Amino acid sequence: MNLVIVESPAKARTLESYLGAGFSVQASVGHVRDLPRSGLGVDVEKGFEPEYVTIEGKEPVLRKLRAEAAKADSILLATDPDREGEAIAYHIVEALTARKRSLRERFRRITFNEITKNAVLAALEQPGEIDLPRIEAQQARRILDRLVGYRVSPLLWKKIKPGLSAGRVQSVAVRLLVERERERRAFRSGTWWRLRAHLAANGHVFTADLAALDGVAIARGRDFDERTGALKSGRKVVLLDRERAEALRARLADATFKVVKLQEKQSKRSPYPPFTTATLQQEANRKLNLGARDTMRIAQALYEAGHITYMRTDSVTLSEAAITAIRSRVAARYGEEYLSSAPRRYKTKSRSAQEAHEAIRPSGTDMRTAAELGLTGRQKALYELIWRRAVATQMADARLRHLNVHVDAEEARFRAAGKVIEFPGFFRAYVEGSDDPDAALENQETVLPDMREGQALENRKLESRKHETKPPPRFTDAALVKELEADGIGRPSTYAAIISTVVDRGYAVRQSKQLVPTFIAFAVTGLLEDHFPNLVDTGFTSEMEEALDEIARGNVDWRAYLGEFYSGGNGLEARLVEREAAIDPREASTVRLQDLTPRVRIGRYGPFLELERNGDRLTASLPEDVAPADLSEEQAIDLLQKRAEGPDRLGEDPDSGEAIYLMEGRYGPYVQQGERTDGRKPKRASLPKNVQPEDVSLAMALKLLAMPAPLGTHPESGDPVKVGIGRYGPYVVHQKDFRSLAENDDPLEITFERAMQLLSAPKTRARRASATPLREVGAHPDDGESIAIYKGRYGPYVKHGKTNASLPRGTEPDEVTLDMALDLLRKRKERDATRKAGGRRGGPRKKSSRK
């Protein structure tokens, strides 16, 4: 019997369908060993020797693999063909042979770039050995990440705020976001005006824009200085303001518009290379609105199902078999005229690209469509994107005709530009930035009527138009991936995790598709720039990636490289010792923004404003939704002034006599009854979303503070029906049965009858969606009840009866086996039992002497 070990259950199921009898295919469910989650896990004194441990929850998986390996004549390691897959294979061998070294002779390594029957069977014919230099490169990367994360992060805790983290690539990505936000804050908008003429030739209307006056070009966006908003020095252009533009428009209203020049030229557009990991993430973000992590998750599922080639690659090469298959599909679907005259072969420019991998394309040689595969939803959308991009590579160039028309009216020259697609070529399959090529073809064309030089045109309308320069855009997932790849930072396969970490750690928040850095990101980046500049330098980080590539090629000793990075005279260890005493925590936790008098400080409960005035220290919390580039001087002073003046006093509570205040907090405006004293927290209530602070009266405040307030008595139970405003918005409740109010329901005005309508309707709250499991794992052997995986607020978890157990970090729901689920549930019950018995050590808790 032959044992084949892969890393995912989905991949195992696909291989089982190909191999049949004589083969047992088992999944390791990702990594089985790693550095410990707590502590450095690296013995620096012993040549950076890693201290690997079995990952929590993986012992049942290893037991099963050991049992299968003991029966197998040969053991084939078929994990992914990259460094991470190589590392998984290596650690499987180490874990399975720790007690039985003789098993080592049975292990062989096989790799394939696509999970198709032909590719798998071909790999079986050419088994090899584990690539040790690639293991060393992966191990060096993990240790580098540990050294940076576990040595620098505690410094951030001491100097800025507990819970912060630094990362070898993460910190560089955060700095890119911060630098862009600094540019936006420094930006000054420039304004100019132009005229647009609506002209007609032979009855066909088109538009032309003012380009020059008396032969001098009209100012455009590129003529303005981004930091001053004024024209750049030395620019010979005409700057029109509103008054001059309006005067010119009035004067040209009756002028004769005449064609003075026609320029026509032909151009060609060639198709883009097939997808790499980075370009797939960028296009999926632009076209499908998918984040990098979602893109990789969907692509992983497509790969494991055998639909696409390996999705972690920076190569744009295509196999000869793939080129032949694509060209055959193009001829059949679009016609011979849409084929390129010769096969197109793409060459990867990056020196570090892994040419052993192909680009991302549909697997096999059938080039089946999403419909033929029966795909739906996001898998269908992403597969179609990959299919169209791959097909376009072997299609003919698109041919375009451009027409520039110059029109004069007195001293003013107007220009109109037209573009016609004479032959769509690869546009028929793929247009970048659009998910509908046919619609995109129409949008790409600007058709101008036939004209001749000297022809007089009819002036239908003249309008003046204001233009403003725009600040540099914030990064989206796509833009950040593009920047990281261009700078040679990280690997394409890690970009999704990097972006998720940046958001999860509070260094950026998502607004629409933009990644907006937080004030904490500014403070951390500032400290690293001042004291550890190498750690946030794109060039230095790129050199580290090149060094890891050299280790993978066997050209650099990994221990020597780590020693130079960490233990050398200018290494990280010495720098940490030198700088720790020099860093002032107050200065490190202070953010000074351009053109802002108050300082921003990072406090225990978040960022706040601070200003010294007449010997007094004024402070005020910053609203959560304020971006660093958007915080104005007026807004900051207003927040400080309001805090200094104290809250608005609306009146007194007639029952208690306590003052009722209207206040502004980090999460928005709220009302408060009484004042905070030692040991007493005053009652507070947030304002409903549709209520403005200036509209709040004493009566309204008392209503809000009384919530949850009774509306009436339930006719069946006799218990009260109440209305309230909670963390997730306004609601009505009866006997712990909560129902959210509709968007047009006012919690201050809702009637008992309306509350009963809501309570009698079936529940439709989004949080109830978790009642539908993400996946059924199997039946529990003790009682036969179902074990399933659900989506929870803090991530996926496994559930059996009333017992819930979170999945280990990095474990996907599809990777969980029944044995793994049982082990997680067992450990959760043991932890619960330990707590009930009286603490971590298992002994009884001492009763407190305090009453």
Side-chain angles (χ1 to χ4, degrees):
M1 188 269 289
N2 298 297
L3 172 62
V4 179
I5 301 177
V6 295
E7 64 274 72
S8 108
K11 187 174 176 181
R13 290 192 290 270
T14 305
L15 261 65
E16 277 181 338
S17 67
Y18 298 152
L19 298 177
F23 288 88
S24 170
V25 186
Q26 300 294 327
S28 68
V29 197
H31 280 277
V32 295
R33 298 198 318 167
D34 196 6
L35 300 175
R37 293 183 67 174
S38 59
L40 183 61
V42 178
D43 194 331
V44 175
E45 302 301 323
K46 292 184 179 179
F48 299 94
E49 191 65 29
E51 302 167 7
Y52 289 113
V53 297
T54 300
I55 294 173
E56 183 182 356
K58 290 300 177 75
E59 194 52 51
V61 175
L62 287 174
R63 281 200 299 268
K64 187 170 185 178
L65 291 178
R66 288 191 190 101
E68 292 291 322
K71 299 182 292 183
D73 300 314
S74 69
I75 307 168
L76 301 169
L77 301 163
T79 49
D80 287 344
D82 60 4
R83 290 179 199 167
E84 215 62 32
E86 209 74 26
I88 292 173
Y90 169 80
H91 287 294
I92 288 172
V93 174
E94 293 299 306
L96 297 189
T97 60
R99 303 172 191 167
K100 197 171 182 180
R101 308 295 288 181
S102 60
L103 271 180
R104 285 180 175 269
E105 299 175 0
R106 304 185 201 173
F107 285 93
R108 300 301 298 278
R109 178 82 166 107
I110 63 172
T111 59
F112 35 83
N113 195 48
E114 59 184 9
I115 307 178
T116 59
K117 188 169 185 178
N118 289 340
V120 173
L121 294 179
L124 290 174
E125 296 297 321
Q126 296 180 316
E129 303 297 328
I130 289 176
D131 189 333
L132 286 179
R134 295 176 85 186
I135 301 297
E136 291 173 349
Q138 188 273 347
Q139 186 167 264
R141 181 187 66 78
R142 289 288 290 125
I143 294 173
L144 277 172
D145 291 343
R146 276 296 171 102
L147 292 172
V148 173
Y150 278 67
R151 290 294 191 243
V152 181
S153 296
L155 184 65
L156 300 180
W157 305 344
K158 294 178 186 177
K159 305 298 183 180
I160 299 178
K161 182 183 176 183
L164 299 178
S165 70
R168 183 178 61 90
V169 179
Q170 166 198 317
S171 295
V172 180
V174 172
R175 188 192 185 194
L176 290 173
L177 300 181
V178 168
E179 285 183 329
R180 180 61 56 85
E181 195 74 0
R182 288 170 178 163
E183 291 172 7
R184 288 177 63 87
R185 184 162 189 89
F187 175 81
R188 296 295 176 266
S189 180
T191 303
W192 77 100
W193 288 72
R194 297 174 77 175
L195 298 185
R196 170 163 288 182
H198 296 258
L199 307 172
N202 307 318
H204 298 284
V205 178
F206 66 99
T207 61
D209 289 325
L210 179 66
L213 283 174
D214 287 324
V216 182
I218 298 296
R220 302 170 63 182
R222 63 190 179 192
D223 298 314
F224 289 86
D225 189 313
E226 292 184 347
R227 292 186 173 272
T228 65
L231 284 176
K232 294 178 181 177
S233 61
R235 296 282 181 171
K236 295 182 179 179
V237 292
V238 176
L239 177 60
L240 289 183
D241 56 18
R242 180 172 185 171
E243 184 178 351
R244 288 187 67 188
E246 283 295 318
L248 183 62
R249 184 184 67 82
R251 189 157 52 80
L252 296 179
D254 298 323
T256 300
F257 285 76
K258 183 183 293 185
V259 178
V260 295
K261 190 176 181 181
L262 292 172
Q263 289 179 316
E264 187 175 303
K265 66 176 183 177
Q266 309 285 334
S267 70
K268 290 183 179 180
R269 289 274 301 278
S270 298
Y272 309 95
F275 279 130
T276 62
T277 302
T279 54
L280 177 63
Q281 290 175 5
Q282 292 168 45
E283 273 294 85
N285 187 242
R286 283 193 289 258
K287 288 188 174 185
L288 307 179
N289 200 27
L290 291 174
R293 170 165 282 185
D294 285 339
T295 298
M296 294 309 294
R297 194 171 288 164
I298 298 165
Q300 177 89 30
L302 290 171
Y303 166 69
E304 291 175 351
H307 298 326
I308 62 172
T309 54
Y310 191 54
M311 71 290 161
R312 294 189 181 96
T313 176
D314 42 19
S315 170
V316 294
T317 58
L318 292 170
S319 68
E320 291 302 313
I323 291 174
T324 301
I326 292 170
R327 293 182 68 82
S328 174
R329 190 71 177 194
V330 170
R333 186 180 181 96
Y334 300 103
E336 294 285 345
E337 69 273 22
Y338 279 90
L339 267 176
S340 59
S341 57
R344 297 183 190 271
R345 294 177 176 86
Y346 296 87
K347 181 72 174 174
T348 306
K349 296 179 181 178
S350 172
R351 180 173 175 268
S352 62
Q354 300 179 37
E355 293 292 339
H357 298 173
E358 276 193 84
I360 304 171
R361 62 167 178 85
S363 60
T365 56
D366 295 333
M367 290 300 296
R368 289 179 293 174
T369 64
E372 290 168 342
L373 292 172
L375 297 176
T376 59
R378 298 201 296 182
Q379 283 195 10
K380 176 186 176 184
L382 190 65
Y383 180 84
E384 284 182 338
L385 193 64
I386 295 167
W387 189 94
R388 289 183 179 278
R389 180 92 164 210
V391 165
T393 63
Q394 300 305 314
M395 294 180 72
D397 291 341
R399 297 196 299 272
L400 300 91
R401 178 167 55 88
H402 304 268
L403 179 64
N404 288 318
V405 182
H406 298 247
V407 178
D408 280 359
E410 297 185 4
E411 80 276 24
R413 170 156 293 186
F414 292 78
R415 285 187 191 146
K419 181 173 69 174
V420 176
I421 299 173
E422 294 190 324
F423 177 68
F426 74 93
F427 283 167
R428 185 59 65 197
Y430 185 88
V431 179
E432 192 170 45
S434 171
D435 57 1
D436 185 351
D438 292 330
L441 290 178
E442 296 178 12
N443 294 336
Q444 286 210 345
E445 290 194 317
T446 304
V447 181
L448 295 178
D450 291 333
M451 286 175 275
R452 67 182 186 281
E453 289 186 6
Q455 180 178 350
L457 303 174
E458 180 186 351
N459 178 14
R460 294 283 181 92
K461 184 173 72 170
L462 266 177
E463 58 179 335
S464 57
R465 299 167 65 87
K466 181 183 178 181
H467 298 267
E468 289 183 325
T469 55
K470 303 294 183 186
R474 291 187 175 103
F475 284 103
T476 61
D477 280 30
L480 185 56
V481 166
K482 186 175 182 180
E483 186 76 16
L484 291 171
E485 185 185 38
D487 290 338
I489 298 168
R491 304 298 298 179
S493 58
T494 65
Y495 292 154
I498 291 167
I499 294 172
S500 294
T501 300
V502 167
V503 174
D504 293 345
R505 298 290 170 84
Y507 293 126
V509 294
R510 293 188 185 276
Q511 289 183 4
S512 299
K513 293 170 67 173
Q514 295 180 330
L515 294 167
V516 183
T518 61
F519 290 101
I520 290 176
F522 269 67
V524 170
T525 298
L527 183 150
L528 295 178
E529 286 174 332
D530 291 342
H531 302 281
F532 303 93
N534 281 350
L535 295 184
V536 287
D537 179 69
T538 53
F540 182 79
T541 308
S542 177
E543 289 172 5
M544 293 175 75
E545 296 295 343
E546 291 177 11
L548 292 173
D549 289 338
E550 287 299 304
I551 293 170
R553 298 184 187 107
N555 298 331
V556 171
D557 180 79
W558 68 276
R559 293 180 191 271
Y561 176 73
L562 291 174
E564 182 181 352
F565 169 79
Y566 186 73
S567 304
N570 295 319
L572 179 62
E573 185 178 36
R575 186 73 177 171
L576 281 165
V577 173
E578 173 197 343
R579 301 312 301 166
E580 181 169 1
I583 300 173
D584 177 14
R586 183 175 181 81
E587 186 63 28
S589 61
T590 300
V591 177
R592 290 178 170 81
L593 297 176
Q594 180 176 330
D595 299 326
L596 189 73
T597 305
R599 298 176 295 273
V600 175
R601 295 284 311 284
I602 306 301
R604 182 179 179 184
Y605 301 106
F608 64 92
L609 290 164
E610 180 184 68
L611 180 65
E612 301 290 338
R613 178 183 286 176
N614 300 326
D616 294 328
R617 177 175 174 262
L618 306 180
T619 63
S621 296
L622 273 169
E624 263 203 337
D625 58 351
V626 175
D630 302 334
L631 179 60
S632 66
E633 177 83 358
E634 295 75 19
Q635 183 182 13
I637 296 298
D638 184 58
L639 288 169
L640 288 164
Q641 194 69 35
K642 285 182 177 178
R643 178 65 186 272
E645 292 171 354
D648 291 340
R649 194 174 188 277
L650 299 175
E652 293 182 354
D653 176 23
D655 295 331
S656 66
E658 291 181 305
I660 305 298
Y661 299 106
L662 174 63
M663 308 181 79
E664 184 76 29
R666 184 181 174 194
Y667 302 105
Y670 63 93
V671 291
Q672 176 175 303
Q673 179 176 332
E675 298 182 12
R676 189 184 187 100
T677 58
D678 292 339
R680 178 183 180 276
K681 188 175 180 180
K683 188 170 185 180
R684 296 172 175 174
S686 298
L687 302 191
K689 288 184 178 180
N690 61 338
V691 174
Q692 298 302 315
E694 57 268 21
D695 298 329
V696 178
S697 63
L698 175 62
M700 182 187 293
L702 292 172
K703 273 189 176 183
L704 291 170
L705 290 165
M707 289 184 177
L711 295 172
T713 301
H714 198 284
E716 296 179 5
S717 67
D719 290 329
V721 173
K722 297 181 178 182
V723 61
I725 300 177
R727 184 176 183 181
Y728 302 102
Y731 63 87
V732 292
V733 59
H734 165 248
Q735 291 184 338
K736 297 185 179 180
D737 182 13
F738 291 82
R739 304 298 172 91
S740 295
L741 269 60
E743 192 171 336
N744 57 348
D745 285 325
D746 185 346
L748 296 170
E749 302 295 336
I750 191 170
T751 64
F752 175 73
E753 290 73 22
R754 174 57 181 156
M756 290 299 296
Q757 285 180 359
L758 292 169
L759 290 167
S760 61
K763 286 191 174 183
T764 57
R765 294 186 308 168
R767 295 184 74 200
R768 286 290 180 182
S770 63
T772 302
L774 297 174
R775 175 174 162 248
E776 297 282 349
V777 178
H780 198 288
D782 293 344
D783 56 19
E785 287 189 17
S786 172
I787 297 175
I789 299 175
Y790 292 82
K791 182 179 180 181
R793 183 178 170 196
Y794 301 106
Y797 62 94
V798 62
K799 180 179 179 66
H800 168 248
K802 295 183 178 180
T803 304
N804 300 340
S806 298
L807 299 192
R809 186 181 301 173
T811 302
E812 298 296 335
D814 287 345
E815 298 174 350
V816 179
T817 63
L818 179 59
D819 286 342
M820 184 178 176
L822 290 170
D823 191 60
L824 290 170
L825 291 166
R826 175 182 59 78
K827 289 181 177 179
R828 178 54 190 261
K829 286 183 177 179
E830 289 174 354
R831 286 197 298 271
D832 291 345
T834 300
R835 290 192 186 102
K836 289 179 180 177
R840 295 179 181 175
R841 299 290 181 185
R845 288 195 182 114
K846 292 182 179 180
K847 291 184 179 179
S848 172
S849 60
R850 292 187 303 171
K851 291 184 181 180

